[in-house]
Amino acid sequence: MIRKCILPTLAASALLMGAKTPEVKWEMLPVSPASPRTIQRFTITGADSVARICFNQLPRPMRALTPGDSVIEINAGYYALSSPRFSDGKTVVIDVEPEWALRGISEAPEGFHAVGHDGKVSPVSYTLMPMLDAASLNPKWQKWTISPDSIYRLNATLAQGAKPGPFDIVPSFKKVTVKKGSYKAGSKTETRLISHQNPEYYKISLSPKGAVIEGASRKAIDMAARILDRQLLQPNGGTLPCAVIEDWPDYPYRGVMIDIARNFQTPADMKRLATLLADYRLNRLHFHITDDEGWRLEIPDLPELTRIGARRGYTLDDKHFLTQIFSGDGSPDSKEGTANGYFTRDEFIDFIKFCDNLGIEVIPEIESPGHARAAIKAMEARLRETGDDTYRLIIPGDTSRYTSAQLYHDNLMNPAAPGTYRFIAKVVDEIAAMYRDAGVSLPGIHLGGDEVPEGAWDGSPEAMLLAKERGVNGRHGLQGEYVRKVAAMMRERGIPLYGWQDICTGYNNEFNAEVAPAVGGVNCWVSSLKPEKNVAIQGVKNGYPVILSNVNYFYLDMLYAPHPEERGLYWGGFVDELQSLSGYPDTLCPPQPGATGKIIGVQGQLFTETVRSRQMAENLIFPKVAGLAERGWNGTPTYSKEDFNMLIGQKELPRLHKQGVAFHMRQPGITIENATVLINSPYPDAEIRYTTDGSAPTTESALYTGPFPLTKEMRTVNAILVKDGRHSVVTRKVVE
């Protein structure tokens, strides 16, 4: 699919001034079988008054191939392309070689804008050409991707699943006893509070006379009523067999982390996502609202946090707003896209009340001491503009040299800076006040605590003195000191502390005894079959409540499958709804006799480096999150992969379609047997559309009705699945 974009906010102002809008066409060139590298070509017209064309791309070293042309990295993933040939007024072709091969659409450039010789930003119209042709010729890609024949064999197996019945839902019920008769929507419903050791236990009794819902808590009753309406009655036409349903979760914590720091989601969009997640009986939203690339919550006494940290655009110094990272149009005031924006205090209060009514507790994350670039830049602006260093997060004279996982060199709060702890205390107290004003209990605050790089604070005399005084060594020891101090701060306030696995990894018994009682949950994301490398095992043995957040089972931002047109990341593997279904807690962290900690649940993560809209977020979440929900509610085997696939295809996708969700579709398989082309689907009711002339199929292409003969003219067979208003990526079979 060709993707076209013109930046509307800047384009409107440019048109008013009569300016000419430069045009950029980007394409990835097919590579030589002898070289694993890819070449990206920028064809630029109308750039005679332009000094540079800026764009975003996932960080990688790259070089322009024509002498005189240049591509420089302004900041991590933010590039400037320039050429002396711009002034000629002619079409300019600039070929750029990235050091790392591009493998998918999420790695293509975006966020284009022009910068004039006067430093002013203007719009760019750009077109991204499809990557399928070029990527499929890359030798490394061919080793990495899944063959159409393998997909065909998998689909043939998945399509053998059992047809779901009226009480087959996600997550599955613990016990269903079907009785005679029918229950219809609109019948009388009675609710009762009962005593049960599990506060989320509920029982639904359906008879011709009506429904009786019993629950161990008001939230359990509300959850049961929601299930009856949205997951049972609506998908089954308002009529169900009479039955008695008994149900309860195996784990109290069933969460999803959604990152709005990297790319913003509005309060309305987050309410929509929370509503959809509640249908799966997920009860925690780990809200990732701060990071290097953004601060998304208003703290009224610290207005710089959102004035600086919630705005991104073209800047070389980050003094008035942040460098454009991931996406944008060069303007920090643009309301288009996901670069700019934040929750006001009132919006956040309204949101946590909304989630509370859904049975979802919101745990906000204040990333520290790493991943703190947005906060650091904001507090430096406060110092410059007001002279107030109360909340300064760095110490002058720190000569430390480090590179973070996201390639930043200036994103660490200093654990020896008094302002660091005053800042954390201020933000924590302001957040606590928001929950009080909402009338909602604060379940905890996540401090992040992850990915502090080697070299951190080595050049800070104050930090080195702190390490000496405390008898700790280097980066890890100082990070532990930070965690210890913040844990004490939170304990004084009666607020549970949450963090990534780094807060409990590699410390001694004294540290664990002090910190673990303050911790509400630790997100462990590394998987290992070796007990000595399994951080979840280490966590429970050291007394921590552990949330299994494994990257290769529960990271929602990973690609569903390797394909040039699939959006997402792949550093942690490929995760679809069947992979997340396989994330059994007792396998990921076998029971540890005598351990003082325990597994409290599971969590999926949606980091948003590759997300540019609500629809993209929905595509990565649904139906992938269904497997997570099943394992969080039922820790032991329930559905087979085949039965689960049929449940997804025949009930979940149609249900999501009715709600307008931009869900993900599996792709068709293609194989050739005896000069005959066979194409199949994992869903019996999906349409298969195909072409044999090399073009990408659309929803209007030929409908596959059965095997057809292979002819000499056919060089490729391309196919997509079409179902419930969505279509899959293209499966390509090259005829040998």
Side-chain angles (χ1 to χ4, degrees), residues 169-188:
I169 68 169
V170 183
S172 57
F173 295 127
K174 286 289 193 301
K175 183 179 180 181
V176 179
T177 304
V178 179
K179 299 180 177 294
K180 294 182 180 180
S182 297
Y183 166 82
K184 293 186 177 181
S187 302
K188 179 182 177 182

Side-chain angles (χ1 to χ4, degrees), residues 63-274:
R63 66 187 182 94
L65 297 182
T66 301
D69 296 345
S70 70
V71 55
I72 63 170
E73 188 171 23
I74 296 174
N75 209 329
Y78 185 46
Y79 298 90
L81 194 68
S82 62
S83 172
R85 294 178 288 149
F86 284 169
S87 60
D88 295 342
K90 299 178 181 179
T91 296
V92 176
V93 176
I94 301 178
D95 288 343
V96 173
E97 182 185 48
E99 187 171 314
W100 308 322
L102 276 64
R103 290 182 170 179
I105 192 61
S106 290
E107 297 183 325
E110 57 187 321
F112 286 92
H113 49 279
V115 180
H117 295 282
D118 58 359
K120 293 183 178 179
V121 176
S122 61
V124 168
S125 172
Y126 63 93
T127 302
L128 302 181
M129 302 302 291
M131 295 184 69
L132 182 60
D133 291 338
S136 65
L137 296 177
N138 186 325
K140 283 195 171 182
W141 174 268
Q142 292 174 359
K143 294 179 181 179
W144 185 59
T145 191
I146 302 174
S147 73
D149 303 85
S150 297
I151 299 172
Y152 186 91
R153 291 190 292 271
L154 175 62
N155 286 349
T157 300
L158 293 179
Q160 295 175 8
K163 181 179 179 180
F167 296 106
D168 286 321
I169 68 169
V170 183
S172 57
F173 295 127
K174 286 289 193 301
K175 183 179 180 181
V176 179
T177 304
V178 179
K179 299 180 177 294
K180 294 182 180 180
S182 297
Y183 166 82
K184 293 186 177 181
S187 302
K188 179 182 177 182
T189 300
E190 181 182 349
T191 63
R192 300 172 188 161
L193 277 170
I194 61 172
S195 178
H196 196 277
Q197 62 182 6
N198 190 316
E200 293 184 275
Y201 171 89
Y202 65 88
K203 180 179 180 181
I204 304 174
S205 301
L206 304 177
S207 72
K209 295 182 180 180
V212 177
I213 299 176
E214 300 169 284
S217 64
R218 177 52 56 186
K219 283 193 174 183
I221 290 174
D222 291 343
M223 180 168 55
R226 182 183 186 84
I227 293 165
L228 178 59
D229 176 32
R230 292 173 64 91
Q231 288 190 281
L232 293 177
L233 288 172
Q234 290 184 25
N236 289 287
T239 300
L240 292 167
C242 292
V244 176
I245 302 166
E246 288 187 81
D247 203 20
W248 61 91
D250 288 345
Y251 297 97
Y253 187 110
R254 305 174 304 280
V256 168
M257 186 221 78
I258 296 182
D259 165 18
I260 67 166
R262 268 64 176 268
N263 283 287
F264 185 61
Q265 297 287 328
T266 67
D269 287 344
M270 282 304 306
K271 285 183 177 181
R272 173 183 167 85
L273 287 171

Side-chain angles (χ1 to χ4, degrees), residues 672-677 708-711:
I672 297 175
E673 296 179 358
N674 301 321
T676 301
V677 179
F708 57 88
L710 181 68
T711 67

Side-chain angles (χ1 to χ4, degrees), residues 504-525:
C504 73
T505 304
Y507 296 106
N508 59 30
N509 292 336
E510 180 183 358
F511 176 94
N512 294 327
E514 180 180 353
V515 172
V519 173
V522 174
N523 297 98
C524 292
W525 59 269

Side-chain angles (χ1 to χ4, degrees), residues 568-631:
L569 300 174
Y570 52 82
W571 63 267
F574 309 106
V575 180
D576 64 7
E577 60 273 20
L578 303 182
Q579 178 70 1
S580 60
L581 180 72
S582 302
Y584 291 99
D586 280 355
T587 300
L588 300 177
C589 181
Q592 303 297 307
T596 54
K598 62 180 179 179
I599 301 299
I600 62 172
V602 299
Q603 179 173 289
Q605 283 65 236
L606 182 72
F607 290 104
T608 57
E609 290 98 327
T610 67
V611 173
R612 304 292 178 263
S613 65
R614 172 181 59 79
Q615 290 79 6
M616 288 184 187
E618 290 178 355
N619 182 270
L620 285 167
I621 295 172
F622 304 103
K624 191 181 302 186
V625 76
L628 167 80
E630 184 66 31
R631 289 291 73 88

Side-chain angles (χ1 to χ4, degrees), residues 438-450:
V440 174
S441 176
L442 173 57
I445 293 178
H446 202 291
L447 72 84
D450 64 321

